[in-house]
Amino acid sequence: MCGIVGAVAERNITPILLEGLKRLEYRGYDSAGVALYTNDDKLERMRRPGKVSELELALTEEPLLGRLGIAHTRWATHGAPCERNAHPHFSGDLAVVHNGIIENHEALRDQLKALGYVFTSDTDTEVIAHLLNHKLKDLADLTVALKATVKELHGAYGLAVISADQPDRLVAARSGSPLVIGLGMGENFLASDQLALRQVTDRFMYLEEGDIAEIRRESVQIWDVNGQSVERESVQYRDGAEAADKGEFRHFMLKEIHEQPAVVQRTLEGRLSQNQVLVQAFGPQAAELFAKVRNVQIVACGTSYHAGMVARYWLEELAGIPCQVEVASEFRYRKVVVQPDTLFVTISQSGETADTLAALRNAKELGFLASLAICNVGISSLVRESDLTLLTQAGREIGVASTKAFTTQLVGLLLLTLSLGQVRGTLAEGVEATLVEELRRLPARLGEALAMDSTVEKIAELFAEKNHTLFLGRGAQFPVAMEGALKLKEISYIHAEAYPAGELKHGPLALVDNDMPVVTVAPNNELLEKLKSNLQEVRARGGELIVFADEKAGMTNGEGTHVVHMPHIHDILSPILYTIPLQLLSYYVAVLKGTDVDQPRNLAKSVTVE
Ligand code: HGA
């Protein structure tokens, strides 16, 4: 979360910093700020609450020009989202921007106050600025003082610092929050995500955990966690900057929903033979490791957790492998009993999700057989630190509410299920060939579901005045209902809860009346008749039903019952298909309510804090 951009160049860098912030804004958008060593040899800053556009406006009215600078877009963890708490934070001649959380900030604040430092914000970040200032008094050199400062910080940080006293460089430190250096000709850059810098360079150097970097116009020097000077490999991207533009669509979210047939296709590419999944897609040692797997533990957060919950149904039903799924923020702090030969699977769009990453690091001490990441970013920490990987090919996801990342994760998890079953010989006869064939047809089915766009848009009108909603599903559709409820909450701010349909009578039915729409996904499977009975229970209490049902499920419109017919699909793949109308529904409800669809309040993309 939060976004950092920095630059040291010979030209004015203000537009570069602003463009970088705009590209990172999807990660945090409470406030934005920039600090520049100006052409008058002064350290100056501009900060504004709200989005980067507010900062841009302020800089148009009162321009700041400089050749060395840092900038930040914030997602507040400590202190309200106001100008006073916006980064960069100053201490004397120093300016600091920070991603992460300093856990010992209270103790440090007390020590620094006792030394006479005056705090002007409520953030944890400000202690870093003052501590560094204090260290500089003895150590004189900015890089040396930063090395001493980070030794006293507990928690997570990606830091960028400039000083008016040593304006030849930008210094940076990484521990728990990613940072990347962008390499230019006679100019260099820094950012929390290379996306911010694709406008200025295609050459990058990724900092590793514990690294400190000194970035000058003509050189970059890095020290590792032990203080040893190290070289980090530089990587060049030739694929051209991925367009961060909405094209013909009104919002990134809608664009990303409509990209799903294409990105699912891409995620399947090179991973299927005629009638089998290619196990090597998970890495060269996959076949050997998969043969030993007797259990699977999946750990993830938010939408990725819902993908993991669907996978549990698949792994147990198809591959006969016991599977547990847990949210990372719980798993990481729990005493876990690990069954022998358990594969530890993490799922994350960004691969930088702090809780998931911490869970992976803990898992390494717990005796799991191996770790496997399902992730959308090949250069992420999660991928680097896992034994096996399957990269989803969703492309950059800008909408804060995840859509295409989820469906491609599901595809990845189905490939995993089939691979494990194949290697262990536990799949029923013919199942793999059938599902491989069905997976090939999936992009076309998703396209058919997307063609229902305008039908779903009409249904959304039923929700515009409502405050509460229930989502119901049975079997593998229960996590789909959970994901549908999460989407609606995230972007329309309507309270939505998901239940397994059979649980309705054990409590939530008490909530049902004609003000509580009930959304249900009803593929044509062996649970259909039971689901229909649950829906009758809702109708009998005056609840309005919105049912996304298989065209062969025999469900029809009636009073208080709105049925949207879905293309028929193999039951195993139905969670992927039925996700689509629920994404569209939440999108159109949010549009009707006039919320900020791509950047909903209080949220941010890529949750890199605990
Ligand atoms: N703790 C700092 C930075 C927050 C952050 O990294 N969010 O993703 C603050 O609250 O300003």
Side-chain angles (χ1 to χ4, degrees), residues 250-300:
R250 188 163 156 199
H251 294 99
F252 280 111
M253 183 179 177
L254 189 61
K255 173 178 176 243
E256 287 160 6
I257 290 174
H258 279 269
E259 279 170 3
Q260 289 175 111
V263 296
V264 161
Q265 175 84 48
R266 262 204 271 161
T267 303
L268 290 171
E269 262 161 34
R271 287 162 175 171
L272 302 176
S273 71
Q274 184 63 22
N275 48 16
Q276 279 199 314
V277 174
L278 298 171
V279 177
Q280 310 90 286
F282 291 87
Q285 326 127 269
E288 195 189 325
L289 281 169
F290 285 179
K292 298 184 193 145
V293 172
R294 283 197 281 154
N295 299 282
V296 171
Q297 170 73 61
I298 299 178
V299 168

Short mmCIF file of all heavy atoms in Angstrom, two decimals, residues 250-300:
data_model
loop_
_atom_site.label_atom_id
_atom_site.label_comp_id
_atom_site.label_asym_id
_atom_site.label_seq_id
_atom_site.Cartn_x
_atom_site.Cartn_y
_atom_site.Cartn_z
N ARG A 250 -15.73 2.85 -18.85
CA ARG A 250 -15.88 3.98 -17.93
C ARG A 250 -14.98 3.84 -16.70
O ARG A 250 -14.56 4.82 -16.10
CB ARG A 250 -17.36 4.01 -17.52
CG ARG A 250 -17.76 5.19 -16.75
CD ARG A 250 -19.27 5.32 -16.78
NE ARG A 250 -19.73 6.07 -15.65
CZ ARG A 250 -20.96 6.04 -15.20
NH1 ARG A 250 -21.88 5.30 -15.79
NH2 ARG A 250 -21.30 6.77 -14.16
N HIS A 251 -14.75 2.60 -16.30
CA HIS A 251 -13.91 2.35 -15.12
C HIS A 251 -12.94 1.21 -15.41
O HIS A 251 -13.24 0.32 -16.21
CB HIS A 251 -14.76 1.95 -13.91
CG HIS A 251 -15.65 3.04 -13.42
ND1 HIS A 251 -16.98 3.11 -13.75
CD2 HIS A 251 -15.39 4.11 -12.62
CE1 HIS A 251 -17.51 4.18 -13.17
NE2 HIS A 251 -16.57 4.80 -12.48
N PHE A 252 -11.81 1.22 -14.69
CA PHE A 252 -10.87 0.10 -14.81
C PHE A 252 -11.57 -1.20 -14.43
O PHE A 252 -11.33 -2.24 -15.02
CB PHE A 252 -9.66 0.31 -13.89
CG PHE A 252 -8.64 1.24 -14.48
CD1 PHE A 252 -8.43 2.50 -13.94
CD2 PHE A 252 -7.90 0.86 -15.59
CE1 PHE A 252 -7.49 3.36 -14.49
CE2 PHE A 252 -6.95 1.72 -16.14
CZ PHE A 252 -6.75 2.96 -15.60
N MET A 253 -12.42 -1.14 -13.41
CA MET A 253 -13.04 -2.39 -12.95
C MET A 253 -13.84 -3.04 -14.09
O MET A 253 -13.74 -4.25 -14.31
CB MET A 253 -13.94 -2.13 -11.75
CG MET A 253 -14.53 -3.43 -11.21
SD MET A 253 -15.56 -3.14 -9.78
CE MET A 253 -16.16 -4.77 -9.46
N LEU A 254 -14.61 -2.24 -14.81
CA LEU A 254 -15.41 -2.80 -15.90
C LEU A 254 -14.50 -3.34 -17.00
O LEU A 254 -14.73 -4.42 -17.55
CB LEU A 254 -16.37 -1.74 -16.46
CG LEU A 254 -17.40 -2.29 -17.45
CD1 LEU A 254 -18.31 -3.32 -16.79
CD2 LEU A 254 -18.27 -1.16 -18.02
N LYS A 255 -13.43 -2.60 -17.29
CA LYS A 255 -12.48 -3.06 -18.30
C LYS A 255 -11.90 -4.42 -17.88
O LYS A 255 -11.82 -5.35 -18.66
CB LYS A 255 -11.36 -2.02 -18.44
CG LYS A 255 -10.23 -2.44 -19.34
CD LYS A 255 -9.20 -1.31 -19.45
CE LYS A 255 -8.01 -1.73 -20.26
NZ LYS A 255 -6.76 -1.74 -19.50
N GLU A 256 -11.54 -4.50 -16.59
CA GLU A 256 -10.89 -5.72 -16.11
C GLU A 256 -11.86 -6.91 -16.08
O GLU A 256 -11.49 -8.04 -16.36
CB GLU A 256 -10.24 -5.44 -14.75
CG GLU A 256 -8.99 -4.57 -14.96
CD GLU A 256 -8.51 -3.81 -13.74
OE1 GLU A 256 -9.07 -4.01 -12.63
OE2 GLU A 256 -7.57 -3.00 -13.89
N ILE A 257 -13.14 -6.61 -15.78
CA ILE A 257 -14.16 -7.68 -15.83
C ILE A 257 -14.24 -8.22 -17.26
O ILE A 257 -14.27 -9.43 -17.48
CB ILE A 257 -15.54 -7.13 -15.37
CG1 ILE A 257 -15.53 -6.85 -13.86
CG2 ILE A 257 -16.66 -8.11 -15.71
CD1 ILE A 257 -16.79 -6.17 -13.33
N HIS A 258 -14.22 -7.30 -18.22
CA HIS A 258 -14.37 -7.73 -19.62
C HIS A 258 -13.09 -8.35 -20.18
O HIS A 258 -13.13 -8.98 -21.24
CB HIS A 258 -14.83 -6.55 -20.48
CG HIS A 258 -16.32 -6.35 -20.37
ND1 HIS A 258 -17.21 -6.95 -21.21
CD2 HIS A 258 -17.05 -5.65 -19.47
CE1 HIS A 258 -18.45 -6.63 -20.85
NE2 HIS A 258 -18.38 -5.83 -19.80
N GLU A 259 -11.98 -8.18 -19.50
CA GLU A 259 -10.73 -8.80 -19.98
C GLU A 259 -10.67 -10.29 -19.62
O GLU A 259 -9.75 -10.99 -20.04
CB GLU A 259 -9.52 -8.12 -19.34
CG GLU A 259 -9.12 -6.82 -20.03
CD GLU A 259 -8.08 -6.06 -19.23
OE1 GLU A 259 -7.61 -6.54 -18.17
OE2 GLU A 259 -7.73 -4.95 -19.65
N GLN A 260 -11.62 -10.77 -18.82
CA GLN A 260 -11.45 -12.12 -18.26
C GLN A 260 -11.34 -13.25 -19.29
O GLN A 260 -10.49 -14.12 -19.12
CB GLN A 260 -12.53 -12.39 -17.20
CG GLN A 260 -12.21 -11.54 -15.96
CD GLN A 260 -13.24 -11.60 -14.86
OE1 GLN A 260 -13.01 -12.14 -13.81
NE2 GLN A 260 -14.40 -11.03 -15.12
N PRO A 261 -12.11 -13.25 -20.39
CA PRO A 261 -11.89 -14.34 -21.35
C PRO A 261 -10.44 -14.35 -21.84
O PRO A 261 -9.81 -15.40 -21.92
CB PRO A 261 -12.86 -13.99 -22.50
CG PRO A 261 -13.94 -13.18 -21.84
CD PRO A 261 -13.25 -12.39 -20.77
N ALA A 262 -9.89 -13.16 -22.12
CA ALA A 262 -8.53 -13.10 -22.67
C ALA A 262 -7.49 -13.51 -21.63
O ALA A 262 -6.54 -14.25 -21.95
CB ALA A 262 -8.25 -11.68 -23.17
N VAL A 263 -7.65 -13.07 -20.40
CA VAL A 263 -6.59 -13.38 -19.42
C VAL A 263 -6.68 -14.83 -18.93
O VAL A 263 -5.66 -15.44 -18.59
CB VAL A 263 -6.56 -12.36 -18.23
CG1 VAL A 263 -6.20 -10.98 -18.74
CG2 VAL A 263 -7.86 -12.34 -17.45
N VAL A 264 -7.89 -15.39 -18.94
CA VAL A 264 -8.02 -16.81 -18.62
C VAL A 264 -7.32 -17.62 -19.72
O VAL A 264 -6.57 -18.56 -19.45
CB VAL A 264 -9.51 -17.20 -18.45
CG1 VAL A 264 -9.72 -18.70 -18.58
CG2 VAL A 264 -10.03 -16.70 -17.10
N GLN A 265 -7.55 -17.23 -20.95
CA GLN A 265 -6.89 -17.87 -22.09
C GLN A 265 -5.37 -17.82 -21.92
O GLN A 265 -4.68 -18.82 -22.07
CB GLN A 265 -7.31 -17.12 -23.37
CG GLN A 265 -6.65 -17.55 -24.64
CD GLN A 265 -7.36 -18.75 -25.23
OE1 GLN A 265 -8.58 -18.75 -25.32
NE2 GLN A 265 -6.59 -19.77 -25.55
N ARG A 266 -4.87 -16.64 -21.54
CA ARG A 266 -3.42 -16.47 -21.37
C ARG A 266 -2.89 -17.35 -20.24
O ARG A 266 -1.79 -17.88 -20.28
CB ARG A 266 -3.10 -15.01 -21.05
CG ARG A 266 -2.66 -14.22 -22.26
CD ARG A 266 -1.84 -13.03 -21.84
NE ARG A 266 -2.69 -11.87 -21.58
CZ ARG A 266 -2.32 -10.82 -20.88
NH1 ARG A 266 -1.14 -10.77 -20.32
NH2 ARG A 266 -3.15 -9.81 -20.70
N THR A 267 -3.71 -17.47 -19.17
CA THR A 267 -3.27 -18.26 -18.01
C THR A 267 -3.19 -19.75 -18.38
O THR A 267 -2.41 -20.50 -17.80
CB THR A 267 -4.22 -18.00 -16.82
OG1 THR A 267 -4.22 -16.60 -16.56
CG2 THR A 267 -3.81 -18.74 -15.57
N LEU A 268 -3.99 -20.15 -19.37
CA LEU A 268 -3.97 -21.56 -19.78
C LEU A 268 -2.86 -21.84 -20.79
O LEU A 268 -2.41 -22.98 -20.90
CB LEU A 268 -5.32 -21.93 -20.42
CG LEU A 268 -6.51 -22.00 -19.46
CD1 LEU A 268 -7.81 -22.15 -20.23
CD2 LEU A 268 -6.35 -23.16 -18.48
N GLU A 269 -2.42 -20.79 -21.48
CA GLU A 269 -1.47 -20.99 -22.57
C GLU A 269 -0.19 -21.68 -22.11
O GLU A 269 0.39 -21.31 -21.09
CB GLU A 269 -1.10 -19.64 -23.21
CG GLU A 269 -1.91 -19.38 -24.46
CD GLU A 269 -1.93 -17.92 -24.85
OE1 GLU A 269 -0.92 -17.23 -24.63
OE2 GLU A 269 -2.99 -17.47 -25.35
N GLY A 270 0.21 -22.70 -22.85
CA GLY A 270 1.46 -23.41 -22.56
C GLY A 270 1.36 -24.32 -21.35
O GLY A 270 2.36 -24.87 -20.90
N ARG A 271 0.16 -24.47 -20.81
CA ARG A 271 0.04 -25.27 -19.59
C ARG A 271 -0.81 -26.52 -19.79
O ARG A 271 -1.02 -27.29 -18.85
CB ARG A 271 -0.56 -24.41 -18.47
CG ARG A 271 0.50 -23.42 -17.99
CD ARG A 271 -0.02 -22.27 -17.23
NE ARG A 271 1.10 -21.49 -16.73
CZ ARG A 271 1.00 -20.32 -16.17
NH1 ARG A 271 -0.19 -19.76 -16.04
NH2 ARG A 271 2.08 -19.70 -15.74
N LEU A 272 -1.31 -26.70 -21.02
CA LEU A 272 -2.14 -27.88 -21.31
C LEU A 272 -1.54 -28.63 -22.49
O LEU A 272 -1.13 -28.01 -23.47
CB LEU A 272 -3.56 -27.44 -21.68
CG LEU A 272 -4.34 -26.61 -20.67
CD1 LEU A 272 -5.69 -26.21 -21.26
CD2 LEU A 272 -4.55 -27.38 -19.37
N SER A 273 -1.52 -29.96 -22.39
CA SER A 273 -1.20 -30.75 -23.59
C SER A 273 -2.55 -31.17 -24.16
O SER A 273 -3.59 -30.67 -23.74
CB SER A 273 -0.35 -31.96 -23.22
OG SER A 273 -1.14 -32.88 -22.52
N GLN A 274 -2.55 -32.10 -25.08
CA GLN A 274 -3.79 -32.53 -25.71
C GLN A 274 -4.89 -32.80 -24.68
O GLN A 274 -5.97 -32.25 -24.76
CB GLN A 274 -3.48 -33.79 -26.54
CG GLN A 274 -4.63 -34.33 -27.36
CD GLN A 274 -5.06 -33.32 -28.42
OE1 GLN A 274 -4.29 -32.43 -28.81
NE2 GLN A 274 -6.31 -33.42 -28.85
N ASN A 275 -4.56 -33.65 -23.68
CA ASN A 275 -5.62 -33.99 -22.72
C ASN A 275 -5.12 -34.03 -21.26
O ASN A 275 -5.70 -34.68 -20.42
CB ASN A 275 -6.30 -35.32 -23.09
CG ASN A 275 -5.25 -36.37 -23.38
OD1 ASN A 275 -4.09 -36.18 -23.03
ND2 ASN A 275 -5.65 -37.46 -24.01
N GLN A 276 -4.03 -33.31 -21.03
CA GLN A 276 -3.49 -33.28 -19.66
C GLN A 276 -3.00 -31.88 -19.30
O GLN A 276 -2.74 -31.06 -20.19
CB GLN A 276 -2.29 -34.22 -19.56
CG GLN A 276 -2.66 -35.68 -19.39
CD GLN A 276 -1.49 -36.47 -18.84
OE1 GLN A 276 -0.36 -36.32 -19.32
NE2 GLN A 276 -1.74 -37.28 -17.84
N VAL A 277 -2.85 -31.67 -18.00
CA VAL A 277 -2.20 -30.44 -17.54
C VAL A 277 -0.70 -30.72 -17.50
O VAL A 277 -0.27 -31.81 -17.12
CB VAL A 277 -2.70 -30.07 -16.12
CG1 VAL A 277 -1.93 -28.88 -15.57
CG2 VAL A 277 -4.19 -29.80 -16.14
N LEU A 278 0.11 -29.75 -17.93
CA LEU A 278 1.56 -29.93 -17.90
C LEU A 278 2.08 -29.58 -16.50
O LEU A 278 2.11 -28.41 -16.13
CB LEU A 278 2.23 -29.04 -18.95
CG LEU A 278 1.81 -29.34 -20.40
CD1 LEU A 278 2.34 -28.27 -21.34
CD2 LEU A 278 2.32 -30.72 -20.82
N VAL A 279 2.45 -30.62 -15.77
CA VAL A 279 2.83 -30.42 -14.37
C VAL A 279 4.05 -29.49 -14.24
O VAL A 279 4.16 -28.71 -13.30
CB VAL A 279 3.10 -31.79 -13.71
CG1 VAL A 279 3.57 -31.63 -12.27
CG2 VAL A 279 1.85 -32.65 -13.77
N GLN A 280 4.93 -29.53 -15.25
CA GLN A 280 6.15 -28.68 -15.19
C GLN A 280 5.81 -27.21 -15.15
O GLN A 280 6.66 -26.38 -14.85
CB GLN A 280 7.08 -28.89 -16.39
CG GLN A 280 7.44 -30.29 -16.76
CD GLN A 280 6.42 -30.84 -17.76
OE1 GLN A 280 5.30 -31.15 -17.37
NE2 GLN A 280 6.79 -30.96 -19.02
N ALA A 281 4.56 -26.86 -15.47
CA ALA A 281 4.16 -25.45 -15.42
C ALA A 281 4.40 -24.87 -14.02
O ALA A 281 4.51 -23.66 -13.86
CB ALA A 281 2.70 -25.31 -15.81
N PHE A 282 4.45 -25.74 -13.01
CA PHE A 282 4.65 -25.26 -11.63
C PHE A 282 6.13 -25.21 -11.25
O PHE A 282 6.47 -24.86 -10.14
CB PHE A 282 3.91 -26.18 -10.65
CG PHE A 282 2.41 -26.04 -10.76
CD1 PHE A 282 1.69 -26.81 -11.67
CD2 PHE A 282 1.73 -25.12 -9.99
CE1 PHE A 282 0.33 -26.66 -11.80
CE2 PHE A 282 0.36 -24.97 -10.10
CZ PHE A 282 -0.35 -25.74 -11.02
N GLY A 283 7.01 -25.61 -12.17
CA GLY A 283 8.44 -25.58 -11.87
C GLY A 283 9.06 -26.94 -12.12
O GLY A 283 8.36 -27.96 -12.09
N PRO A 284 10.41 -26.96 -12.33
CA PRO A 284 11.07 -28.21 -12.68
C PRO A 284 10.94 -29.31 -11.62
O PRO A 284 10.89 -30.49 -11.96
CB PRO A 284 12.53 -27.81 -12.87
CG PRO A 284 12.63 -26.36 -12.61
CD PRO A 284 11.29 -25.80 -12.34
N GLN A 285 10.86 -28.90 -10.31
CA GLN A 285 10.78 -29.99 -9.31
C GLN A 285 9.34 -30.36 -8.99
O GLN A 285 9.09 -31.11 -8.05
CB GLN A 285 11.41 -29.62 -7.97
CG GLN A 285 12.60 -28.73 -7.95
CD GLN A 285 12.33 -27.55 -7.01
OE1 GLN A 285 11.83 -26.53 -7.45
NE2 GLN A 285 12.66 -27.70 -5.72
N ALA A 286 8.38 -29.82 -9.72
CA ALA A 286 6.98 -29.99 -9.32
C ALA A 286 6.57 -31.46 -9.28
O ALA A 286 5.98 -31.92 -8.29
CB ALA A 286 6.08 -29.21 -10.26
N ALA A 287 6.90 -32.22 -10.34
CA ALA A 287 6.42 -33.60 -10.41
C ALA A 287 6.94 -34.40 -9.20
O ALA A 287 6.18 -35.12 -8.55
CB ALA A 287 6.88 -34.24 -11.71
N GLU A 288 8.23 -34.20 -8.90
CA GLU A 288 8.83 -34.94 -7.79
C GLU A 288 8.17 -34.58 -6.46
O GLU A 288 7.84 -35.44 -5.65
CB GLU A 288 10.32 -34.57 -7.78
CG GLU A 288 11.18 -35.48 -6.96
CD GLU A 288 12.57 -34.87 -6.84
OE1 GLU A 288 13.03 -34.23 -7.82
OE2 GLU A 288 13.17 -35.01 -5.75
N LEU A 289 7.95 -33.28 -6.26
CA LEU A 289 7.33 -32.84 -5.00
C LEU A 289 5.85 -33.24 -4.92
O LEU A 289 5.38 -33.71 -3.88
CB LEU A 289 7.45 -31.32 -4.86
CG LEU A 289 8.81 -30.80 -4.40
CD1 LEU A 289 8.89 -29.29 -4.56
CD2 LEU A 289 9.06 -31.20 -2.94
N PHE A 290 5.12 -33.06 -6.01
CA PHE A 290 3.69 -33.37 -6.00
C PHE A 290 3.44 -34.85 -5.65
O PHE A 290 2.44 -35.19 -5.03
CB PHE A 290 3.04 -33.05 -7.36
CG PHE A 290 2.83 -31.57 -7.61
CD1 PHE A 290 2.27 -31.12 -8.81
CD2 PHE A 290 3.18 -30.62 -6.65
CE1 PHE A 290 2.07 -29.76 -9.05
CE2 PHE A 290 3.00 -29.26 -6.89
CZ PHE A 290 2.45 -28.83 -8.08
N ALA A 291 4.37 -35.72 -6.08
CA ALA A 291 4.19 -37.15 -5.81
C ALA A 291 4.16 -37.41 -4.31
O ALA A 291 3.57 -38.39 -3.84
CB ALA A 291 5.32 -37.93 -6.47
N LYS A 292 4.78 -36.52 -3.53
CA LYS A 292 4.87 -36.75 -2.07
C LYS A 292 3.73 -36.09 -1.30
O LYS A 292 3.59 -36.28 -0.09
CB LYS A 292 6.19 -36.16 -1.55
CG LYS A 292 7.41 -36.79 -2.13
CD LYS A 292 8.64 -36.18 -1.46
CE LYS A 292 9.90 -36.54 -2.22
NZ LYS A 292 10.89 -35.50 -2.21
N VAL A 293 2.92 -35.25 -1.98
CA VAL A 293 1.93 -34.44 -1.26
C VAL A 293 0.77 -35.29 -0.73
O VAL A 293 0.13 -36.00 -1.49
CB VAL A 293 1.38 -33.32 -2.18
CG1 VAL A 293 0.22 -32.58 -1.51
CG2 VAL A 293 2.49 -32.34 -2.55
N ARG A 294 0.53 -35.21 0.58
CA ARG A 294 -0.62 -35.93 1.14
C ARG A 294 -1.68 -34.98 1.69
O ARG A 294 -2.81 -35.36 1.97
CB ARG A 294 -0.16 -36.88 2.24
CG ARG A 294 0.49 -38.14 1.62
CD ARG A 294 0.58 -39.24 2.62
NE ARG A 294 1.72 -39.03 3.50
CZ ARG A 294 1.81 -39.51 4.74
NH1 ARG A 294 0.81 -40.20 5.26
NH2 ARG A 294 2.89 -39.28 5.47
N ASN A 295 -1.31 -33.71 1.87
CA ASN A 295 -2.26 -32.68 2.36
C ASN A 295 -1.89 -31.35 1.73
O ASN A 295 -0.74 -31.14 1.35
CB ASN A 295 -2.13 -32.47 3.88
CG ASN A 295 -2.42 -33.73 4.65
OD1 ASN A 295 -3.57 -34.08 4.83
ND2 ASN A 295 -1.37 -34.40 5.09
N VAL A 296 -2.88 -30.47 1.70
CA VAL A 296 -2.60 -29.12 1.21
C VAL A 296 -3.10 -28.11 2.24
O VAL A 296 -4.21 -28.25 2.78
CB VAL A 296 -3.30 -28.87 -0.16
CG1 VAL A 296 -3.19 -27.40 -0.56
CG2 VAL A 296 -2.69 -29.75 -1.25
N GLN A 297 -2.28 -27.12 2.54
CA GLN A 297 -2.68 -26.00 3.39
C GLN A 297 -2.65 -24.74 2.53
O GLN A 297 -1.58 -24.36 2.02
CB GLN A 297 -1.73 -25.84 4.57
CG GLN A 297 -1.91 -24.56 5.38
CD GLN A 297 -3.17 -24.57 6.24
OE1 GLN A 297 -3.32 -25.41 7.12
NE2 GLN A 297 -4.09 -23.64 5.97
N ILE A 298 -3.80 -24.10 2.36
CA ILE A 298 -3.84 -22.87 1.57
C ILE A 298 -3.96 -21.68 2.52
O ILE A 298 -4.75 -21.72 3.47
CB ILE A 298 -5.04 -22.88 0.59
CG1 ILE A 298 -4.91 -24.04 -0.40
CG2 ILE A 298 -5.13 -21.55 -0.17
CD1 ILE A 298 -6.06 -24.18 -1.38
N VAL A 299 -3.18 -20.63 2.24
CA VAL A 299 -3.23 -19.42 3.06
C VAL A 299 -3.31 -18.20 2.13
O VAL A 299 -2.56 -18.12 1.16
CB VAL A 299 -1.98 -19.36 3.97
CG1 VAL A 299 -1.84 -18.00 4.61
CG2 VAL A 299 -2.07 -20.42 5.06
N ALA A 300 -4.24 -17.31 2.42
CA ALA A 300 -4.43 -16.13 1.56
C ALA A 300 -5.29 -15.10 2.31
O ALA A 300 -5.70 -15.35 3.44
CB ALA A 300 -5.11 -16.54 0.25
#
